[in-house]
Amino acid sequence: MANELVRAAHGLSLQEKRLLMLAVSKLDSTKPALPGNMVSTISVLEMVSEFGIDHKSAYKVTREAAEHLMNRYIRFHHLENGKQTETRMQWVAQADYIESEGAVTLHFWYKLAPMLFALEKQFTSYKLSRAGALQSKYAWRLFELVMQFKSTGYLKISLDKFNHAMETPKTYQQDFGLIRTKVLEIAIKEIKKKDGLCITWSPIKTGRKVTGLEFKYPVEHQHELFALDDSFIEKHAKPGESYKTARERLAKDRKEKAGK
């Protein structure tokens, strides 16, 4: 996903986050950003397999998550014409529940295309399996934030931007002690237990007031976005392009996307 999307407020429950990120993981960001390429179908069995959801409740959970996604939106804070602006954008434009197949098809909102396709260097990637076991939406969001800087192992963020990305309640924002105990400590503990990533943090203060946060964690190298196997090369070769030329072009494209 684009870094801008990672830092935005997502407005999702844990089950909605799971369904949506599974759908995002099935998109092919190397394809053109066309409406037909912004559609993902997820089976209930995939939700069970990926996230360990109980079989008895899986159908109900998946259907409810799909229904609720129609009313969810992303919030971006940005400058527009020199003015601080908040933009709200839908995640999906259409959601279909195919009862006979136990599957959900999500059609992403077309304006998300630049944040999901042709990402070039300003993107964040992580294996869905690493976040799949997380039971807290705060743990998942923090994991995404630190993965944005996994090549440096260092994240510095203002408290306002952290609260925006984590969507912490206003009561927490008025008492940093609640952010520490209800968000930071719980999320970091769960990430370490479920993923093994050790994160340390410290507050940044202006006077006596906490105004920012600093996170440190082991450096991780950027994983390849796709494997250059024979099937991938055959699928993405241009008309009339030789196998060797296609491999060289795709390898170069992969390095550019990984920011190497």
Side-chain angles (χ1 to χ4, degrees), residues 3-63:
N3 291 341
E4 182 183 11
L5 188 55
V6 171
R7 292 190 294 266
H10 287 185
L12 302 169
S13 69
L14 179 63
Q15 300 299 357
E16 293 159 13
K17 177 77 171 178
R18 286 171 165 174
L19 177 61
L20 194 73
M21 291 301 101
L22 184 53
V24 168
S25 74
K26 300 181 76 172
L27 296 176
D28 185 349
S29 64
T30 65
K31 290 184 177 180
L34 300 174
N37 295 329
M38 297 184 68
V39 180
S40 284
T41 298
I42 307 94
S43 71
V44 173
L45 292 180
E46 285 179 299
M47 289 285 285
V48 172
S49 174
E50 191 71 44
F51 305 114
I53 299 174
D54 183 71
H55 278 270
K56 295 180 180 179
S57 60
Y59 285 86
K60 181 174 182 292
V61 164
T62 304
R63 182 164 191 164

Side-chain angles (χ1 to χ4, degrees), residues 96-157:
D96 307 310
Y97 185 78
I98 311 165
E99 190 169 357
S100 61
E101 299 178 10
V104 171
T105 297
L106 299 180
H107 303 251
F108 286 91
W109 177 239
Y110 77 97
K111 285 196 173 183
L112 283 178
M115 302 177 200
L116 298 173
F117 293 83
L119 299 179
E120 298 178 346
K121 295 183 180 181
Q122 301 301 315
F123 67 91
T124 298
S125 68
Y126 61 89
K127 288 186 179 295
L128 184 62
S129 57
R130 294 184 64 180
L134 299 175
Q135 298 293 319
S136 163
K137 67 176 184 179
Y138 291 138
W140 197 324
R141 291 297 286 125
L142 179 59
F143 183 78
E144 285 182 325
L145 288 175
V146 299
M147 284 293 100
Q148 184 179 343
F149 300 97
K150 64 183 179 181
S151 62
T152 63
Y154 179 75
L155 165 64
K156 183 179 181 181
I157 186 171

